Amino acid sequence: MSDKKKLKLVLCWHMHQPEYRDLQTGEFKLPWTYLHVIKDYVDMVAHLEAVPEAKAVVNFAPILLEQIEAYANQIQGYLRNGFCITDPLLAALVAPAIPEDPEDRLQLVKDCLRANRDRQINRYPAFQKLVEMTEWLEQHYGALCYVNTQFINDILVWYHLAWMGETVKLTDSRIQHLIEKGSVYTLHDRVEIVKIIGELLSNVLHRYKVLARKGQIELSVTPYAHPIMPLLLDLTTTHEAMPEAPLPELADYPGGADRVTWHLEKGVQTFKRFFGAKPKGCWPSEGAISQQTLKTLSDFGFNWTASGGSVLRNSLHRSENKEPTGIHHPFKLKNTKIACFFRDDGLSDLIGFEYSKWHADDAVADFIHHLETIAAFESGDKVVSIIMDGENAWEHFPDNGYHFLSALYGRLSSHPSIELTTFSDCLKNKAVVKPLATVVAGSWVYGTFSTWIGSADKNRGWDMLGDVKCAFDKAVVDRRLTAVQIQQAEFQLAICEGSDWFWWFGDYNPGLAVSSFEKQFRLNLANLYRLLGEEPPAYLALSFTQGSGDPVMGGAMRPGIEH
């Protein structure tokens, strides 16, 4: 079958973690960046390296790139010069002594419970036993004084072994030896793990860069700190997909258009520093688009962007063009030059939420069957877009998705009627781009902005952000800040504008996650007030949202279609 006749399939993996540092102290408040590097980002690039015929799009949030660099530099500084590591969990791994305070000990071992119970903890009987002992200690606080150094050292080692990527476990003899050892880990063992983590952090981005230079993958960018661009541009676009949603007291986000431009310029600048080239495409944070967002991205010079299938369905439903049309094409909004691809929500959600429960071969066969059905029953040239988090699904699969991803790339790359490709290659090869009369603003989650705005807690977050932005603008107008101080404040403001804080606000989320992200949001705002030379408002000392929910997959991912 000629390439022209093949079904075009784009696998787009979005790699993103918010800024976890307290930018005033440099301390990482949560460890998720380095843990996802050693587990998910190294595994994904290894799968691609193993199947040179495979193609994919890999999207990096610029703020993630900078954190990976910061971790790599820290570990090098520790190994070469004995400098301190500012991530508490990573520092504890190589600490010569355990905390003296029982509360600190309990917190440290509890931090080592933050892993998938079935896939990461119970897979290793030695780790499972330590976790069960920790859970007993939580119920018997008085026994903490009897917890010795070895117990804490061993659970710290096992936590990091459990988070290690499957491709690392299969190829690194040092990791294999530590897993086989099982207990009584020494300081030498713990330093060895930090060395391995340092190697993975130092090399991972270069490995993606090499694949991009070979043309095997396309690298794309997200606005710098992952803001929801349509909401910065116009909060009322919320009502396009949710007419009844309550909005914040904030009428609009002050200077939002300038902030969007700042995030795009800074994002591209950061991307070019790491990868040496300008990206052709932009995955907007959370696939969030609006008419104004698409015009902004088009004017900025991007060739393509993408969003959720529900956004396209809402837009076609409201469009003047009532002729039926399939979703498996790029579209172009009138008066813009940018092609917009739309995610196949059903197929993407199968990978994200269902196939982890299946045998890998059955899951891949089912996925390919769906693609073959699309190829057979939809006329004309088609592009199927699978767009997903690149990190959060795999911990729910056996062996971090190793068997599924190996089979997926292997079978797709040799399939006679399916062609793995990239968004840019689709456009270069003259894929049919259909006209779109209008866009109903929304995101890849349900086709709405409900994950970030429209409830009491989320709206409160926007009002708090609006307050600090007004304070920032006033400080600039009053010329109270030097050029260096303005630059520092702009960076801190960008962190506050990130989407992740709003994602977690709300009682339907797990309590621990809500607490962690809400505290960080308040810290970020307080730090910005201090940079402006102002005392933070008293309300920043008070928690404003708590969680008690138990969402599917822990809440780190949401399906594209609301069930």
Side-chain angles (χ1 to χ4, degrees), residues 525-560:
L525 295 177
N527 279 343
L528 180 49
Y529 278 109
R530 292 187 186 103
L531 284 170
L532 300 175
E534 296 186 23
E535 189 66 28
Y539 63 68
L540 288 181
L542 302 171
S543 173
F544 67 95
T545 182
Q546 285 85 38
S548 57
D550 186 22
V552 65
M553 305 298 203
M557 300 187 300
R558 302 228 165 89

Side-chain angles (χ1 to χ4, degrees), residues 44 48 132 149 212 288 341 347 368 371 422 435 488 554 562:
M44 185 58 76
L48 288 160
E132 288 168 355
T149 302
F341 294 81
L347 291 182
I368 289 175
L371 294 171
T422 66
Q488 288 175 329
E562 194 162 13

Side-chain angles (χ1 to χ4, degrees), residues 287-313:
I289 61 169
S290 62
Q291 299 214 88
Q292 193 177 350
T293 303
L294 287 181
K295 285 174 181 166
T296 300
L297 291 172
S298 177
D299 293 345
F300 204 80
F302 288 112
N303 295 344
W304 65 261
T305 188
S307 186
S310 295
V311 174
L312 178 61
R313 279 186 287 275

Side-chain angles (χ1 to χ4, degrees), residues 7 9 347 367-376 384 412 418:
L7 176 72
L9 175 65
L347 291 182
F367 183 71
I368 289 175
H369 174 70
H370 284 293
L371 294 171
E372 290 169 341
T373 302
I374 291 168
V384 177
L412 287 172
I418 300 171

Side-chain angles (χ1 to χ4, degrees), residues 81-319:
N81 304 306
F83 294 161
C84 290
I85 295 173
T86 64
D87 182 290
L89 195 62
L90 203 50
L93 182 60
V94 289
I98 63 172
E100 290 186 13
D101 183 80
E103 195 65 46
D104 292 340
R105 290 185 190 186
L106 182 61
Q107 186 57 55
L108 186 55
V109 292
K110 280 173 66 177
D111 286 345
C112 295
L113 306 186
R114 295 185 295 191
N116 186 287
R117 189 62 179 251
D118 292 328
R119 303 302 194 193
Q120 291 177 280
I121 294 173
N122 294 349
R123 178 181 176 183
Y124 301 105
F127 187 25
Q128 182 181 2
K129 183 178 175 183
L130 294 168
V131 166
E132 288 168 355
M133 291 166 69
T134 298
E135 290 170 339
W136 182 87
L137 284 167
E138 286 187 87
Q139 306 302 318
H140 300 82
Y141 185 82
L144 274 168
C145 59
Y146 297 105
V147 170
N148 68 7
T149 302
Q150 195 63 61
F151 175 82
I152 291 182
N153 289 344
D154 282 5
I155 198 169
L156 280 164
V157 168
W158 266 114
Y159 186 71
H160 287 88
L161 291 175
W163 270 89
M164 202 63 68
E166 195 66 21
T167 58
V168 182
K169 291 172 183 171
L170 289 170
T171 58
D172 195 310
S173 59
R174 298 167 296 177
I175 292 295
Q176 291 165 357
H177 166 73
L178 290 168
I179 290 173
E180 287 164 13
K181 184 174 181 180
S183 64
V184 197
Y185 294 109
T186 64
L187 180 58
H188 178 271
D189 294 331
R190 291 181 281 132
V191 172
E192 186 88 334
I193 292 180
V194 170
K195 281 182 186 172
I196 295 165
I197 291 171
E199 290 168 13
L200 297 172
L201 284 159
S202 296
N203 295 330
V204 65
L205 296 179
H206 180 71
R207 293 167 69 183
Y208 282 101
K209 186 176 178 181
V210 167
L211 292 184
R213 281 179 174 166
K214 288 179 180 176
Q216 187 181 346
I217 66 171
E218 176 178 5
L219 292 169
S220 64
V221 76
T222 295
Y224 176 73
H226 210 267
I228 303 288
M229 288 191 287
L231 295 181
L232 293 189
L233 292 167
D234 183 356
L235 289 174
T236 65
T237 55
T238 303
H239 283 154
E240 292 182 25
M242 300 192 302
E244 307 303 319
L247 292 180
E249 293 177 17
L250 187 70
D252 59 73
Y253 187 68
D258 289 340
R259 293 304 299 156
V260 164
T261 300
W262 187 95
H263 281 276
L264 289 171
E265 287 176 347
K266 185 64 186 170
V268 169
Q269 178 188 341
T270 306
F271 182 96
K272 286 167 70 176
R273 181 167 76 81
F274 282 93
F275 295 122
K278 186 179 176 183
K280 294 179 179 176
C282 175
W283 166 250
S285 320
E286 311 293 2
I289 61 169
S290 62
Q291 299 214 88
Q292 193 177 350
T293 303
L294 287 181
K295 285 174 181 166
T296 300
L297 291 172
S298 177
D299 293 345
F300 204 80
F302 288 112
N303 295 344
W304 65 261
T305 188
S307 186
S310 295
V311 174
L312 178 61
R313 279 186 287 275
N314 290 343
S315 302
L316 291 173
H317 181 70
R318 195 168 297 180
S319 172

Side-chain angles (χ1 to χ4, degrees), residues 35-89:
L35 290 176
H36 280 296
V37 168
I38 67 174
K39 186 170 83 68
D40 303 304
Y41 308 152
V42 298
D43 266 6
M44 185 58 76
V45 76
H47 282 292
L48 288 160
E49 289 165 343
V51 187
E53 304 78 24
K55 283 198 164 192
V57 176
V58 182
N59 183 86
F60 281 100
I63 209 156
L64 168 61
L65 298 172
E66 291 182 343
Q67 286 182 88
I68 293 172
E69 179 183 51
Y71 268 113
N73 286 339
Q74 264 195 40
I75 291 178
Q76 295 236 352
Y78 164 77
L79 293 171
R80 290 178 181 172
N81 304 306
F83 294 161
C84 290
I85 295 173
T86 64
D87 182 290
L89 195 62

